[in-house]
Amino acid sequence: MNRPGLEADAVLACGEVRTCLLPARDALGEREAVRLLRMRPDERVRVSRHPNRLVVSPDVLTGVDCRLPTDTGARVRAVGTVSAHALLVEGRVLQCAASFSLAAAGADRRHPWGYYLVRPGLLVPVGRLPERSVARGFLLGHRPGQLDVGSIAEGVLAQVARQGAVLDHDPPLTAAVTHLRWTAVRAVDEEPFSVFTKGEDGLRMVELRLPPDVPLTEAGALCVDLALHDWLLTTVADKLDGLRTHPADDRAVLRVLLPLVDHLMHLWMPRARIAPVLRTTWDALEETPGYSRQWNALAQRVRDQLSLHAIQLLGKVPSGP
C-alpha cells in the first residue's frame, strides 16, 4: 500500500510472505472469507472480484524497537511499526505478508511512540542507515535479538488459522508452506535489476533494484504475486513428481489429479494486480526460472493424464449389443 508523504523518506523496503493452502475442505465464499479476515473492527476487509476473487485483511501494525540484521555485524537500531496483512485468493490459497520501509536516517535518540504511529509501516533508524548492509543482512536472515519479520507473518497466519468457526482443518490435499523474503532499494547509479534465488531449506529470496521513480512500497504486491505463483508451481510439481500412471493405479492417480484441477489449476494468473511499472520486473524474475513455461507443461500433463485415464476407463466399459 502506498503511503503518500512517507515514500520520500524510505530508501529500503523489506518483507516476508508466507503462502499455504487454506485449511478447509472447500473454498470459502466471499462472505465467509470476509468474516475470516476481519482482523480489526475499525477497518473493513477489502474485496476485489476481477480478474479473480481476492480478499485482503486490514493492516495490523506491530511496534518494534530492536536491532536490524546486517551482513557486517554492525549494530543498527530502528524504531517504528511493521505492517502485516492476510490475503485469500479465490477462497483457497492463504497468504500472510509482513513488511516495512526504512528511512535513510533518524535522530540520535528515540522519539515518543506517537511519532512512529503516524508513520505506519516505516522504521526510523537511530542515526544513519547503512542501507546496502541492512538489505544484504535481511536476506541472510536475522540473529537472536534482531528484527524477525518472518515471525510477525507467522503470527498473522496462526491468527487466521485459529478461526475454528470458519475453518474445518480438513484440506483436500497436503501442501507445504512456502517462505519468500524480499528487499527493494532504488537503483541510483546502476541499472534496475531483480534476482530470484532459492535457499537449501526452500526459502525463496528476491532482491530488487527498482527505477528511481517507482515507489518502494509497490514491491510488496509484486513479491506477494510472485510468492503465490511460486507456491502453485511448487505444489503441483511436487504432486506430479514420481506419480505412477499404470492403469492398475487409476484410482490413486485420480486422487492426486482431481484435487489439483478442482482447487488450484484455475488460480494461475501472474501480474494480475501489480503496478504496470513493475510488470517488466515480474517478467525478468520469471524469465530465469521459466515459471509460466513450466506451469504450462505441468498443466498439459495433468490434462493428458486425465484424458488418458478417461480413455482407459471407457475401454473397460462393455459396448452395447
Side-chain angles (χ1 to χ4, degrees), residues 123-159:
L123 300 188
V124 181
V126 177
R128 188 153 190 86
L129 178 74
E131 60 181 86
R132 296 301 171 96
S133 178
V134 171
R136 290 189 294 264
F138 184 82
L139 289 176
L140 292 173
H142 73 284
R143 297 178 180 177
Q146 296 177 342
L147 176 61
D148 180 5
V149 175
S151 67
I152 296 176
E154 290 281 359
V156 174
L157 190 67
Q159 182 179 348

Side-chain angles (χ1 to χ4, degrees), residues 17 21 28 40 61 138 142 157 167 171 193 229 249 271-272:
V17 185
L21 188 73
L28 296 188
R40 286 178 54 177
L61 300 178
F138 184 82
H142 73 284
L157 190 67
L167 304 176
F193 72 88
H229 291 86
D249 300 319
R271 304 187 308 173

Side-chain angles (χ1 to χ4, degrees), residues 175-190:
V177 180
T178 59
H179 302 177
L180 185 144
R181 182 181 298 153
W182 61 270
T183 63
V185 300
R186 290 190 178 90
V188 179
D189 299 323
E190 57 188 337

Side-chain angles (χ1 to χ4, degrees), residues 1-2 17 54 85 87 95 97 99 182 208 215-229 271-275 278 282:
M1 179 186 299
N2 286 332
V17 185
L54 176 69
H85 62 278
L87 310 91
Q95 294 186 279
S99 63
W182 61 270
L208 299 171
L216 292 179
T217 48
E218 293 286 359
L222 169 69
C223 292
V224 166
D225 190 55
L226 181 62
L228 169 66
H229 291 86
R271 304 187 308 173
R273 289 186 175 86
I274 64 174
L278 286 179
W282 210 108

Side-chain angles (χ1 to χ4, degrees), residues 297-321:
L298 291 175
Q300 186 62 50
R301 182 181 174 193
V302 170
R303 288 191 291 266
D304 290 346
Q305 285 297 322
L306 288 174
S307 298
L308 178 61
H309 284 279
I311 292 171
Q312 292 169 345
L313 181 60
L314 291 173
K316 297 174 184 178
V317 178
S319 58

